[in-house]
Amino acid sequence: TQLLEQSPQFLSIQEGENLTVYCNSSSVFSSLQWYRQEPGEGPVLLVTVVTGGEVKKLKRLTFQFGDARKDSSLHITAAQTGDTGLYLCMKAYYNQGGKLIFGQGTELSVKP
Amino acid sequence: DTAVSQTPKYLVTQMGNDKSIKCEQNLGHDTMYWYKQDSKKFLKIMFSYNNKELIINETVPNRFSPKSPDKAHLNLHINSLELGDSAVYFCASSHGGITYEQYFGPGTRLTVT
C-alpha cells in the first residue's frame, strides 16, 4: 500500500515557537505538495516540490524534499496564530495515471 | 471570481434519499476530482475525470455516480444515502502535468440522519 505518513498528528504551540511537520513514504514519487486547510474551507496549495533535495521558502515556511524523493518536511519559524490549521501533504504518481495520496494531516494550533 | 465552486454548502437529508452535489470550475483545467473527508480529517480521492472521461475510480460504492457534462463541471449523485456517507465532500480541479496541483472548492458538508 502506498501510504503517506504524516507526523505529528496534533501540535499545540505558543506564538513565536518553531515547529516541523514530517511527511514520509516508503516509495519514490513524482512530486509532493503541501496544503493548508482552515475550518470550513477547502485545502489551499502552499508549495510543490519536484526535485530531490529541493528547498523552497514561503515567508516563514520552509519546505524540503528529501534527496531520495521519499520524504518531505515543513518548518515554520516563529509561528503566528494565523498559522493555525490542518496541514496536508500529497504525493502524486505521474506514471500511475495521476494517482494521488494524501497524508493523514497535522492539526496545528498556535496559541497567543 | 470563484475558481472552484460547489453547491450546496450544507446538505442534511435522511437515510435512503438520493441527493446531488454540483461543482464548477472556471480555471480552464482539464481534470476534476471528488474527495471525501471523514470526521478524522482524512482526505481520500473518490473519482477523477479528464476532459469528461473517468480516469480514476477508487473503491467507492456504486451508489455514488459522478457525471461530467463538460470539462468545467463535475457533479456527484448519491443514491440510497447511508449514515456512513456523512462527511465533507470536496471538488477539485487540476491542470495536469506531472505535479497534479489541486485547486479545491469550499466543500459540501453532508449529514445523513
Side-chain angles (χ1 to χ4, degrees), chain B residues 28-46:
Chain B
H29 290 163
D30 289 336
T31 309
M32 295 184 71
Y33 308 79
W34 277 109
Y35 289 87
K36 180 180 181 180
Q37 188 170 48
D38 62 24
S39 57
K40 294 184 179 178
K41 308 286 180 69
F42 184 62
L43 199 59
K44 191 171 190 299
I45 191 169
M46 300 171 68

Side-chain angles (χ1 to χ4, degrees), chain B residues 3-40:
Chain B
V4 182
S5 59
Q6 288 178 238
T7 54
K9 176 75 171 169
Y10 300 96
L11 189 51
V12 182
T13 188
Q14 292 184 324
M15 284 175 57
N17 284 348
D18 303 338
K19 289 293 177 186
S20 292
I21 306 172
K22 294 187 175 183
C23 178
E24 177 181 0
Q25 56 97 1
N26 63 7
L27 297 167
H29 290 163
D30 289 336
T31 309
M32 295 184 71
Y33 308 79
W34 277 109
Y35 289 87
K36 180 180 181 180
Q37 188 170 48
D38 62 24
S39 57
K40 294 184 179 178

